[in-house]
Amino acid sequence: MQFGIFTVGDVTPDPTTDRTPSEAERIQAMVTIARKAEEVGLDVFATGEHHNPPFIPSSPTTLLGYIAAQTERIILSTSTTLITTNDPVKIAEDFSMLQHLSAGRTDVMLGRGNTGPVYPWFGQDIRQAVPLTAEHYGLLRRLWREQVVDWEGKLRTPLQGFTLAPRPLDGIPPFVWHGAIRTPWIAELAAHYGDGFFSNHIFWPVSHTRSMVQRYRQRFAHHGHGKPSQAIVGLGGQVFMRHNSQDAVREFRPYFDNAPAVDCASHLPHVFLRTASNQQSAPRWVPCVSTPPPPSWSCNPWAIPS
């Protein structure tokens, strides 16, 4: 089991002081967090990818490459890399380079992104998000595994005789996670290829996260990658600790209630702030909003390329 920390790189006012850090301060803070994560023994540091305010990590591999030069042990990952709006050739190149710079301490987490306006900024259509994910990832896998790639799809120009440079370190591609908050089809994609599945358990009920993970494990075994218990699952969430849980709730609640990009009181189906005292073996779940659970499992029928 591994424990890590990830950031979305938001530049927002501190609700207790009303001071907003500069972009430079926020970027340096992310570097400081990564170095501290290694110092205290965490296993992974990950950064999101965003191209719209109030977020600043628009070039995750640049940031992770800089952090790689200042760390020795911690795994560096994204959370997530946009497989829909990034070109798969560039993803393959960037993460192969990061592998070499970090001596192999590189994972990549792929996701579709949930900010609609970003798609046309990169020449894409959000209505094509699922087919873009399937086609781009199918090509990405080939780029990392085949010396010479001839490829033709529906949503990108063809490749003829293309060779990736640099090649993955020691011929082994980065470990791939598929990240999702609500979409069952992403769990199916991860299971189909035998990759890791990361359920960002912050916006939806426990029942939904449980169903996503159970389905992923079942389909992982169905596709012949091993037993359900061997499927590799990651979970995201918010954790804040103080000497007693009452202090933890009181101190962190303003930050939770003023989180960027979401309105806790109006837009989230079911949100939890996980708090704990140093002595508690089982952290408390403090609900923000509670509404009926989402519909039962359904799977998008879009084909996954072999």
Side-chain angles (χ1 to χ4, degrees):
M1 182 177 293
Q2 296 176 333
F3 291 91
I5 187 169
F6 72 90
T7 176
V8 296
D10 51 301
V11 181
T12 50
D14 184 324
T16 65
T17 66
D18 289 329
R19 182 183 182 275
T20 302
S22 68
E23 291 179 337
E25 288 175 323
R26 186 66 176 96
I27 292 169
Q28 289 302 318
M30 293 166 69
V31 174
T32 300
I33 290 169
R35 295 171 61 183
K36 177 60 69 172
E38 175 165 277
E39 178 185 327
V40 302
L42 294 180
D43 301 293
V44 183
F45 172 81
T47 176
E49 177 188 348
H50 293 278
H51 299 275
N52 55 297
F55 308 100
I56 44 86
S58 57
S59 182
T61 54
T62 303
L63 175 65
L64 295 177
Y66 182 76
I67 292 170
Q70 303 185 48
T71 55
E72 297 179 355
R73 179 193 56 80
I74 198 165
I75 296 170
L76 304 173
S77 180
T78 49
S79 58
T80 61
T81 291
L82 302 179
I83 187 65
T84 47
T85 52
N86 282 301
D87 187 86
V89 172
K90 192 70 171 98
I91 295 175
E93 291 174 338
D94 285 350
F95 282 89
S96 288
M97 178 65 76
L98 184 58
Q99 270 195 316
H100 287 270
L101 291 173
S102 66
R105 296 181 289 126
T106 299
D107 286 0
V108 57
M109 188 186 300
L110 302 175
R112 296 184 304 162
N114 57 12
T115 306
V118 172
Y119 280 74
W121 296 346
F122 292 89
Q124 302 293 356
D125 184 341
I126 194 172
R127 293 171 295 184
Q128 296 291 317
V130 170
L132 278 167
T133 299
E135 184 171 296
H136 282 187
Y137 185 53
L139 174 56
L140 179 61
R141 286 180 60 86
R142 290 189 58 187
L143 292 168
W144 274 333
R145 288 166 173 79
E146 299 178 21
Q147 188 69 30
V148 180
V149 175
D150 293 309
W151 177 92
E152 185 172 352
K154 297 180 179 179
L155 301 170
R156 187 200 183 281
T157 54
L159 295 177
Q160 294 182 348
F162 181 83
T163 296
L164 180 71
R167 303 296 301 161
L169 181 64
D170 298 327
I172 302 173
F175 183 79
V176 174
W177 297 89
H178 297 269
I181 295 175
R182 64 184 184 274
T183 308
W185 182 82
I186 299 301
E188 173 63 28
L189 182 69
H192 178 87
Y193 287 113
D195 297 331
F197 174 62
F198 188 92
S199 182
N200 198 0
H201 178 52
I202 53 176
F203 294 160
W204 285 70
V206 174
S207 59
H208 178 70
T209 299
R210 183 183 298 114
S211 70
M212 294 267 281
V213 171
Q214 289 175 344
R215 178 66 175 180
Y216 162 65
R217 291 189 183 278
Q218 294 166 0
R219 299 296 291 173
F220 181 93
H222 170 80
H223 289 295
H225 300 297
K227 299 177 181 179
S229 61
Q230 294 174 309
I232 301 175
V233 175
L235 293 176
Q238 299 186 39
V239 179
F240 188 79
M241 295 186 70
R242 281 294 180 260
H243 288 292
N244 63 71
S245 59
Q246 292 82 7
D247 286 345
V249 172
R250 182 173 59 252
E251 185 173 341
F252 191 71
R253 192 69 193 228
Y255 297 94
F256 185 75
D257 289 343
N258 290 275
V262 294
D263 177 353
C264 182
S266 303
H267 297 297
L268 302 189
H270 202 172
V271 178
F272 290 98
L273 163 61
R274 194 174 193 183
T275 63
S277 69
N278 291 351
Q279 290 76 34
Q280 283 178 317
S281 58
R284 296 176 55 200
W285 292 102
V286 183
C288 175
V289 179
S290 180
T291 62
S296 59
W297 182 277
S298 63
C299 186
N300 191 301
W302 181 264
I304 299 172
S306 59

